[in-house]
Every structure is written in structure tokens, then in C-alpha cells.
Amino acid sequence: MDTDDEQPPYADSERQSQREDERSTDEFSGRRTNRTRWVGLGRLAVTRLWKRTTKTTSRRVVATISAVALTIALLVVVTGVALALADGGTTTENDADVQVMPESTDLLSSINGVEGARLGEANERAASIREAEGVDHATPVLTEPMRLERAGEGGTTVSESNETEANATDNRTVTDPQTVLLVGVTPDGESRTVAGLPTSELASDADTTADTANATDTNATAAQGPGQRELVLSTTAAERLGVTAGDELAVSSSQFEITDTPPPTVTVTAVVETSGDDETPVALGHLRALQTLSGSSEGELADRVLVWGESDAAADRAAAAYPDATVETPDRTDPSLLFDDGLAFVTSVLALVVVVAICAAFVATTAGMTVNEDRRMLAVLESVGFPTHSRLAIVAISTQALTLCGALLGGVLGFVGIHVLNAVASGTIAPGAVAETHPLFLPYALVIACVAGLIAIPYPLVIAARTSVLAEVSR
Amino acid sequence: MIHRILGTLASAASQPSDERQPTPAVRLDGVTHEYGATGGRLRAGEQRTVTALRDVSIDVQPGETIGLEGPSGSGKSTILHAVAGLLVPTSGSVELIGTDLTPLSTRKRTHVRRQHVGIVFQHFHLLPSLSARANVALPLVQTGVPKRARRKRATELLTQVGLGDRTTHLPSELSGGERQRVAIARALATDPTVVIADEPTGELDTATGNAVLDLLTDVGRERAVLLASHDESTLAVADRVITLRDGQVVADGH
């Protein structure tokens, strides 16, 4: 404001220096005054908003916050679903050092029927990776949703088929076959984690080579040697199926009814709590058995290959085995996965655009109405000496503060929404979680709300700038 | 630039009175103002205007209380708004402590108003969501006064107007007289040279109105006060009463 003041010339250097000292002090004081003024304006805007909400008329404030919260919650939920689509859900929970995935990585999600590219000749190439120096172990991983039931019951309750056993197992009830995500691996007897479950609970494939050597035809029963007939269940899967370690399970499929062959059976070797999402029923079994059951044995298909060992050696060997695939260090919490998956990326971008548009439109409308009601307040501010930019700043800060409040609430609602969605989905359309949460969702929600607020702000500012102080104070 | 204006204002205010005629706190010189009329049928190119003030000239000295009387539409409020820099007259000049406000930009007029003019409205115009103290401290926010100093100044002023125990009350929790006293305290927050009051007792009963007038009389001992009212008892506190008819001064006397 005082920059256009002309400085008088000074003859001697002492006076010149003194003048410069004074000027720098003035500039500092001016900056401090400016800062105090802006802090005061911000405080005035927020205080007014708070008191208005708590002590006078809160309806419009509550409506604005609710609308923003709902749209932001929608954004968080849809982004969570997109992340789960990109990430493959619980089945990616592992402790491998390197993983190989198809280039077009639409991995199998926990939603039935959503399937992407797979790796071919996985068993053979994994075996070649295992032979490399510095590699401890490599296993293809195949994930398939399967319907399982207690062996020999055919949808009847435990109490009907085996009353004694039912009484002994705390009234566990099995009514229908349950869908479980079956994850097939090649265990080596070491303690490793795949899909959140320990592979060490399965017999090493080295012990079952003789059994699997003949497992090349499509006859499911013939495919399973004694060593292949075992499963490790997550606690969720065990609860749904109503089984414990040692129980027998049968694969429920119409193909066995049509061909009139007995369904293959497996033994539950252990029930373990998963290290990740506990809402998805997961079972860990032998790869070859699952490939045979799912019809993937011919091409030795797998969703990914996991490699343990020295990262560099493992990555080099994996890249050599699959030159066209993506070789990376597994990180299930990496939201950049969204950029690698077409469907997930488009879903999240669409959600972003829709939410920003709805949010900005609603905030602009309600803020415009609020400013229209507040014209007298703006006139009073002008009459007591608030220039236009200060009045507009108060309107902008109020609008942005409201939007941020809504975003915070929306972020929390979004996290709650993801859990509710997972609970509903696991009870209806999917065997487990269909959406994932991530700590970055909250700052993401705040930034998006800020953007929506900034888009919305010009409208209330135009209304505020048009306010006539004389018209308002004379009313 | 603003500092230069304020410097001029300050130096003008500090001119020794024995050397020359004291600079009036407010001077209106040949002020005419026309409002653009709205409504009714206008022919193409026709512009209808309403003349609110016609060649009005008034001097107000520091420490003087001036009463403006006249029927509705006579131009009382227009004079007050011109003095406050809320409007620029169509012609003539409005000087505040020797500086003409009419050529200044809106921003500079706002700055001068913040520093030198306190306004008391008929309908109080307090912000309903702020406490009495926050309302009084409002003009100090824009001047960059720190929060603690604002609160101290506002509390002092509220105590001065007899509301020291009502600082945290919202306007809705105060009576009409108390609200007007808060409005007067707000008008004094920046220690202005001129206080203008438009129908300050218009919404108050007689006893409360008298209390508010006593307060304005105290305020007027150190400042120039312009008081617009229909009410003769209100105008009785003025040192001089100017009567307006159809935007013209028809009487100016004690």
C-alpha cells in the first residue's frame, strides 16, 4: 500500500542508512500487521461459522457439510473398490521378495467373474526360476473361487448327517455350499505366507511328486494324489463352512453331477487366522490340484509367480523367465496400482470427476444462498472499513472451511462405508472384501474437497461483490 | 499513498488554531447528489433521476454535535453516507479534516472511513453470530490490531458504555438499548474523528433512547457528531440543528 510513496533523497550516508533502517522496520511492521490482519480475517470467518452453527441458524451449514460428506464418502468407497480391483484383494497378501504378473494386469479380484490375463507355463518356468542361484523358492499362484461343502453332506446340516460330530463341534451348522477363494501354490515345506496363510501347513510338493506325476488328465479325482488332498483354511472360511482341522471337504460343482462322478474331497490340515483382511474366506491348497479343478492345467496357468530369495537375483531370473511380464516387489498398499489397471483407473477417475462436479455444484449453490442471506453482514463490514478483498476473503474462507469440514466427515464415512460394503458383499455377491482402505484416502479426500471448494468459490464471491452497502444498511 | 493521505489528515488536524481558522472536521461544499430512479415507464434514451441533495454546504467543527432534521426523503441519510464516504456526490466536495474524499478510489475511501469515521445505525446492524465484544472489535480486525489488544480495547469500550458484564452475550441476548450501546462502542473502536448516527433512538423507548443520547453527548465532547433524526428530543442534544427540505438546507441554527 505504501510502495508508491516516493522516498526523499538524502544527502549524507548516515541519514540514508538511518532511513533504510526505519524503512526495513516499517516493512517488517507492515508484514506483521498484514499477517495479523489475515489471521484476524480467518479467525473472524471461522468463528462466525462456528457460532452460527452452534448458536443461531445451523440448517444450511449442516446441509452443506452433509452433502459434501456424502459425495466425498462416495468417492472414498468407489476408490476403495477400484483399489481392490487393481490390487486383487486379500489374495495378494504374501511375503515374497519378487512377484511376476501379466503385463495386462487385470488380476483376479474377489468379485466372481472379473478375470484378466494369466501367466502360461507357470509350473515349468517357476521350476526354472527355482534353480537359479540366490533364489530360495518360486511358486506360481492361481486363485479361483470354488464352492465347498462338508464331504458327504450335500447341503444338509451337520446335525442331520452326523449328529455326534455336530454336538462335539459347538453346534456348528452347515446349510449350503460356501464360496471360498481357493489359492493354489507349490509349497516347499518352508515357512512362507501366500494369501495371508502359511504354506508350511501344506505338505511339500517334493513329497508329493509321485502323486502329481500322473495328474495330467482332466479327471478331478484322478488328479489328486494323497499329498494333494489338503487345504489350509482361513478362520472366516472355516466358520462359514463349519469345519475344523481334520474335517473333509468336497468340491461342489454341477460338472460332477452331470458326469455322475464323485466330487473330489480334501482334508482341512489347519485353520489359521489370515494376516490381512479377515472378511474374505480363503483356502490355500496345492497348485496342481486347483489347476486341474479349474481347467487351467493344460496351459499351466497362474495369476502370478512369487519368488523368494535375493531380490536382484530373483528379479533377474524372473524377468528372464517372463520377458513380457511385469516383475516387481509386492506391495499391496501401493495406491499407484490404480494407474496400472485400466478398469480400476477409469472407475476411480470417473468417481473423481462426478464427485468434484456434484460437490462443487452443491457448495456453490448453498454458499451463494448463504451469501445472499449475509448481504447485510457484508454491508456492515464495508461500513466499518473492510475493503472488498477482505470481505471476499471472509466469504472464501467460510466456504472452504465448510467444504473441508464436509471432507473430513466424508473421509470417515467413506472408511465406514467400505467396511459396510465389504460386509454386505461378503454376505451376497462376493466371497470376501470388494473394497480396500488406505491411509492416503483421507488426504486425498481433503485435496479433492479443496479443489471442489475452489471451483465453487467464484459464484458466492460474485454475489458478495455485487452487494450494495447503501441498499442493505438503509433497509 | 494511503499513508500520504493519512499524513495530510493528521497534519491538518494538528494545525495550531491560533494561526488560522481551525480546519473543520467535516466540510460539505456545494454538494449535489442525484440517484438514478427505478420503476415506471421510461422512453428510449430517457433517464429519470431523483435529486437527493441540492447544493448543500455544511461545516462541522471538532467537538461539535450537529443535528439533521427533516421529513423522509429530505436528504439526511444521503449527507451521512457522503460524509462516511459510502457514496460520492454527483457534484461538490466532501472534506474530512481538510481532505476531499470525492476524488479518492473506493479502496482509499474505505481506508479513510476505517480510520476516521464511526457509524451508528438505526437498526444497530450487529453481526448476530458474534458476541458483543467481537462486534465491537470488528473494525480493529481490518486495521491489523492483535487479538489480545482487540479484546482489551473492546472490553474497555463496553465497560465505558455500561456493558462490561455483557461482553460475551450475543446480540439476540441483549435488549434494544444494549444493542445500540454496543453499536456505539463499535463506532468508537478506532477512535474516529467523526461519528455519524442515523436515527440512533428510532427503535428505542424514551428512557432507553435518553440513555443512548447521553452516551452520544459524551462521545461528542471530543469528536464531531452528525445526528440524523425526526425526533425533536433527540435533536435537543445537538449544538446546532440543520433543517432539510427536498435536499436543501432551509434552516441552520441553535
Side-chain angles (χ1 to χ4, degrees), chain A residues 66 69-70 72-74 76-77 406-418:
Chain A
S66 304
L70 285 176
I72 292 296
L74 179 71
V76 170
V77 170
L408 273 175
L409 183 61
V412 175
L413 280 179
F415 279 97
V416 173
I418 285 176

Side-chain angles (χ1 to χ4, degrees), chain A residues 136-159:
Chain A
D136 297 338
H137 183 57
T139 173
V141 178
L142 177 66
T143 308
E144 285 284 352
M146 287 279 172
R147 306 273 285 168
L148 297 176
E149 62 183 333
R150 282 179 67 91
E153 289 170 358
T156 58
T157 61
V158 170
S159 56

Side-chain angles (χ1 to χ4, degrees), chain A residues 10 12-22:
Chain A
Y10 285 85
D12 59 274
S13 60
E14 193 180 336
R15 287 185 63 198
Q16 175 80 39
S17 164
Q18 187 185 349
R19 178 68 185 170
E20 281 172 2
D21 287 348
E22 284 171 5

